[in-house]
Amino acid sequence: MRIKSITVRNYRVHRELSVQLDDFRTLIGGPNECGKSTLVEAIHRALFLKSKITGDVQKSMVSASFPGAPEVEVAFTVGAAEYLLAKRFSGNSGTTRLARVGGETWHGEEAETRLASLLKVEAVGG
């Protein structure tokens, strides 16, 4: 698996941030408290937590400065196939969409199951 890009919206300190990742190396740099770790956390949570997660974990994603539910989009490749994952972390009304570029699109629990299969994990948590 190779992550190609990440976009976060209303996620903790980020109103909207899009980052394209290099195919060979990526360095995330910046001053203290600018959101570097938050960006990595958002990638991890998009890949490994269900969008309908509730409780303290979901609340910790919410921005104190920007209205709206936290959203994370991750473009990635597995083998020769490219995928776009979009999650909106809004508690019980959270949404997940996984699309294979030029192919099928999955939504909700079906998308979570397909993502777990691509990641080779038993299940996406939450």
Side-chain angles (χ1 to χ4, degrees):
M1 174 189 195
R2 181 180 305 274
I3 298 174
K4 307 284 282 174
S5 67
I6 175 80
T7 298
V8 295
R9 289 180 199 87
N10 308 320
Y11 195 103
R12 293 180 54 188
V13 299
H14 299 296
R15 179 171 187 236
E16 184 162 350
L17 175 67
S18 292
V19 177
Q20 299 293 318
L21 302 177
D22 186 90
D23 283 341
F24 300 102
R25 68 176 161 239
T26 298
L27 175 68
I28 299 173
N32 290 342
E33 301 300 316
C34 72
K36 301 178 299 289
S37 296
T38 299
L39 181 65
V40 173
E41 173 188 285
I43 295 168
H44 180 265
R45 288 181 171 174
L47 294 174
F48 297 104
L49 289 181
K50 291 186 178 186
S51 62
K52 293 189 178 204
I53 193 159
T54 59
D56 291 340
V57 173
Q58 190 275 334
K59 290 177 187 171
S60 74
M61 297 181 214
V62 174
S63 174
S65 303
F66 310 112
E71 298 178 24
V72 182
E73 295 177 4
V74 181
F76 63 95
T77 59
V78 174
E82 187 172 341
Y83 295 88
L84 180 59
L85 171 67
K87 289 193 178 183
R88 181 182 171 122
F89 293 97
S90 53
N92 290 324
S93 62
T95 60
T96 301
R97 182 176 59 83
L98 177 65
R100 185 175 50 194
V101 175
E104 294 180 78
T105 299
W106 303 271
H107 296 275
E109 194 59 38
E110 185 180 24
E112 301 282 12
T113 301
R114 179 70 177 157
L115 177 61
S117 174
L118 290 169
L119 297 174
K120 297 184 185 332
V121 297
E122 286 189 30
V124 175

